[in-house]
């Protein structure tokens, strides 16, 4: 633990010849709202994947979490944004699973007259709606 309350950890695996196989470095903010995970997948000293997980506490009591994964070059590989309502039950989920900047899936979960409503929409790479459904 650092003086400011933040923390960092490192996990590494080695090969039989003691050379580095892979390494994961994780940093966490003191309030637990921000986390950065860096992955060196082949032990060459380059972090091939970086994942940033950031949570914002909104004035209305809701919270918005954004998880972004990038490559070593900084190209976005995937992103998801989840907003949870102050009631703890409602949420909006937006997922870009292929890093093209467009939603591949959205999910809206809300509470109407005490009943939970869940609507999932799937999209093509060009943004066209493929299907929309109500999971059970």
């Amino acid at each position: 633990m650092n003086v400011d309350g933040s923390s960092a950890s490192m996990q590494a695996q080695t090969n039989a010849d003691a050379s580095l196989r892979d390494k994961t470095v994780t940093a966490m903010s003191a309030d637990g709202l921000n986390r950065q995970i860096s992955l060196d997948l082949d032990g060459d000293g380059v972090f091939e994947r970086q994942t940033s997980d950031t949570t914002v506490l909104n004035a209305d009591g809701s919270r918005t979490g954004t998880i972004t994964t990038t490559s070593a070059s900084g190209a976005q590989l995937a992103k998801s944004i989840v907003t949870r309502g102050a009631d703890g039950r409602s949420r909006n989920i937006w997922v870009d699973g292929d890093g093209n900047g467009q939603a591949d899936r959205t999910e809206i979960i809300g509470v109407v007259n005490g009943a939970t409503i869940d609507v999932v929409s799937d999209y093509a790479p060009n943004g066209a709606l493929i299907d929309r459904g109500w999971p059970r």
Side-chain angles (χ1 to χ4, degrees):
M1 176 133 350
N2 299 315
V3 175
D4 66 358
S6 65
S7 63
S9 66
M10 194 255 315
Q11 295 179 334
Q13 295 186 48
T14 55
N15 296 308
D17 66 359
S19 63
L20 184 63
R21 179 183 307 168
D22 59 59
K23 176 171 61 173
T24 302
V25 176
T26 304
M28 177 78 73
S29 64
D31 60 11
L33 297 176
N34 299 295
R35 181 174 56 163
Q36 179 77 29
I37 301 169
S38 301
L39 302 173
D40 175 358
L41 300 171
D42 55 14
D44 66 354
V46 174
F47 291 113
E48 285 84 15
R49 298 282 183 274
Q50 296 210 14
T51 300
S52 171
D53 182 348
T54 303
T55 300
V56 175
L57 304 177
N58 302 312
D60 64 359
S62 65
R63 60 178 47 214
T64 301
T66 303
I67 300 172
T68 305
T69 301
T70 56
S71 68
S73 69
Q76 183 173 295
L77 302 175
K79 183 174 188 174
S80 64
I81 301 170
V82 177
T83 301
R84 294 184 178 274
D87 64 4
R89 293 177 60 194
S90 60
R91 60 188 175 272
N92 291 329
I93 303 166
W94 181 93
V95 178
D96 170 13
D98 58 13
N100 69 355
Q102 296 182 353
D104 298 313
R105 172 172 274 215
T106 61
E107 184 172 7
I108 299 170
I109 301 169
V111 180
V112 178
N113 296 326
T116 301
I117 307 295
D118 187 356
V119 179
V120 176
S121 302
D122 293 305
Y123 298 91
N126 67 1
L129 179 66
I130 296 172
D131 61 43
R132 180 169 286 146
W134 297 262
R136 298 186 196 266

